[in-house]
Amino acid sequence: MMTDTISQNDQLGSAIGAIASGLFIVTSQQDGKTATMLASWVQQAGFNPPSVTLVVAKGRPIESFLTVGSPVVINIAEKGQGKIIGHFAKGFAPDVDPFDGIETAAAPSGQPYLIDAIAYLDATVTSSLDAGDHIVILATISTGDRLREGESATHTRKNGFKY
């Protein structure tokens, strides 16, 4: 019986892992502090107002930055940007500047965005939903820009139960 459960979980994990997603660097700067994360669970959620959802594991440092009314920038990574993706994949302690050595510019809200991103979305958190071990964040987009032509980075996982 135990083997069937393990096999089923492996099959389910493999099936969930086949869901393709983009790669995004999510950032929020508040009170002189910056939180970032590499995200793959970001999706357009509405046309009017323009909005996206992003999903954050509970306990990640950026979680406390993503409360209703908080600013957030979603930087869309370009295919082949392994260096910048790797930089943000490692995570950062709260006292470390995640933008050290990374070129940024200021969005109209004053929030930084990555010059090397293919595009960025400048948004405000409007609500959240508990999703078990993660939080689903809804953010309304106020502005954004396609910084250059190119193909967005995409990602699949071998196992949908692990990053």
Side-chain angles (χ1 to χ4, degrees), residues 89-133:
K90 66 184 178 184
F92 297 90
D95 60 338
V96 174
D97 179 6
F99 298 130
D100 186 33
I102 303 292
E103 271 194 272
T104 64
S109 67
Q111 291 290 303
Y113 68 87
L114 306 179
I115 296 290
D116 288 334
I118 194 170
Y120 77 90
L121 306 171
D122 194 8
T124 302
V125 175
T126 49
S127 68
S128 65
L129 171 70
D130 188 305
D133 57 355

Side-chain angles (χ1 to χ4, degrees), residues 52-163:
V52 293
T53 57
L54 54 127
V55 182
V56 179
K58 289 180 179 175
R60 290 194 72 162
I62 198 169
E63 179 188 5
S64 65
F65 282 69
L66 300 177
T67 58
V68 172
S70 296
V72 62
V73 171
I74 298 97
N75 296 276
I76 303 167
E78 186 175 6
K79 183 178 182 178
Q81 284 186 319
K83 184 176 177 184
I84 198 161
I85 290 167
H87 176 81
F88 287 98
K90 66 184 178 184
F92 297 90
D95 60 338
V96 174
D97 179 6
F99 298 130
D100 186 33
I102 303 292
E103 271 194 272
T104 64
S109 67
Q111 291 290 303
Y113 68 87
L114 306 179
I115 296 290
D116 288 334
I118 194 170
Y120 77 90
L121 306 171
D122 194 8
T124 302
V125 175
T126 49
S127 68
S128 65
L129 171 70
D130 188 305
D133 57 355
H134 286 72
I135 303 288
V136 179
I137 305 292
L138 178 67
T140 300
I141 302 164
S142 57
T143 189
D145 194 10
R146 177 75 182 233
L147 302 173
R148 66 175 169 282
E149 292 304 313
E151 188 177 338
S152 300
T154 57
H155 169 72
T156 58
R157 295 168 291 141
K158 290 182 181 180
N159 183 332
F161 294 119
K162 299 176 187 174
Y163 293 117

